[in-house]
């Protein structure tokens, strides 16, 4: 036999039955935008990493094989697989790889306008000879997981690498 419960206990439990649904609705107003923002930001970081990895693949190809514009572009665009089922992103080699003679200037390389091979050209301002460089670029148009999420993220990711050949 169950002990009798007072009527006031029945009333108080019945009065709280809808409170959980209301609390969940209020919590959802905060949690849903946080989850959406986290997913969008995570995908944006992932896509940015893919662009940088594709440029690295093109740079490694250039270091191994020298100047080969179509080969470098293919290495960038197929860094994640050549068949549609393996293709992770729509990374493109844009602008196309460039081959030039240049002089290092701190953290960059100045294009001297000379055509490789770079032997027989005047020396750089620091007295060192000009060297042969390849500039590899890649870009990716960002795709949103949740359209119109309201987050301000870049529309296009791009990366660039300059490789010295000699």
């Amino acid at each position: 036999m169950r002990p009798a419960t007072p009527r006031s206990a029945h009333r108080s439990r019945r009065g709280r039955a809808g409170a959980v649904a209301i609390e969940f609705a209020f919590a959802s107003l905060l949690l849903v935008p946080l989850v959406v923002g986290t997913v969008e930001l995570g995908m944006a970081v992932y896509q940015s990493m893919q662009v940088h990895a594709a440029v690295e693949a093109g740079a490694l190809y250039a270091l191994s094989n020298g100047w080969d514009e179509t080969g470098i572009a293919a290495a960038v665009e197929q860094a994640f697989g050549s068949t549609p089922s393996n293709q992770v992103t729509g990374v493109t080699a844009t602008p196309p790889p460039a081959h030039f003679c240049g002089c290092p200037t701190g953290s960059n390389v100045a294009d001297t306008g000379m055509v490789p091979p770079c032997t027989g050209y005047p020396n750089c301002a620091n007295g060192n000879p000009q060297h042969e460089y390849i500039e590899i670029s890649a870009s990716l148009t960002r795709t949103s997981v949740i359209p119109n999420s309201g987050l301000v993220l870049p529309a296009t990711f791009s990366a660039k690498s300059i490789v010295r050949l000699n």
Side-chain angles (χ1 to χ4, degrees):
M1 209 166 169
R2 276 183 29 190
T5 51
R7 291 194 125 168
S8 60
H10 284 294
R11 265 191 243 126
S12 66
R13 259 189 274 149
R14 235 181 289 146
R16 288 184 288 168
V20 172
I22 292 171
E23 289 174 4
F24 179 74
F26 283 130
S28 295
L29 290 174
L30 294 173
L31 292 177
V32 168
L34 285 174
V35 169
V36 167
T38 302
V39 168
E40 278 294 322
L41 190 59
M43 282 302 295
V45 169
Y46 175 67
Q47 290 170 343
S48 175
M49 289 172 27
Q50 286 179 320
V51 171
H52 286 87
V55 165
E56 184 179 349
L60 290 172
Y61 181 90
L63 286 171
S64 297
N65 302 304
W67 171 245
D68 174 12
E69 183 177 356
T70 56
I72 295 169
V76 168
E77 292 173 356
Q78 297 175 3
F80 303 102
S82 58
T83 61
S85 63
N86 292 335
Q87 192 69 28
V88 178
T89 67
V91 176
T92 59
T94 311
H99 188 213
F100 61 94
C101 294
C103 296
T105 59
S107 63
N108 205 357
V109 176
D111 186 348
T112 59
M114 307 296 179
V115 180
C118 304
T119 55
Y121 290 132
N123 287 346
C124 299
N126 62 4
N128 292 330
Q130 294 185 34
H131 293 285
E132 188 176 350
Y133 293 92
I134 297 176
E135 181 178 299
I136 300 133
S137 300
S139 66
L140 169 68
T141 301
R142 185 178 71 82
T143 54
S144 180
V145 175
I146 302 156
N148 303 322
S149 63
L151 290 174
V152 180
L153 295 169
T156 304
F157 295 110
S158 60
K160 176 176 86 168
S161 179
I162 298 176
V163 177
R164 180 178 149 184
L165 289 183
N166 64 0

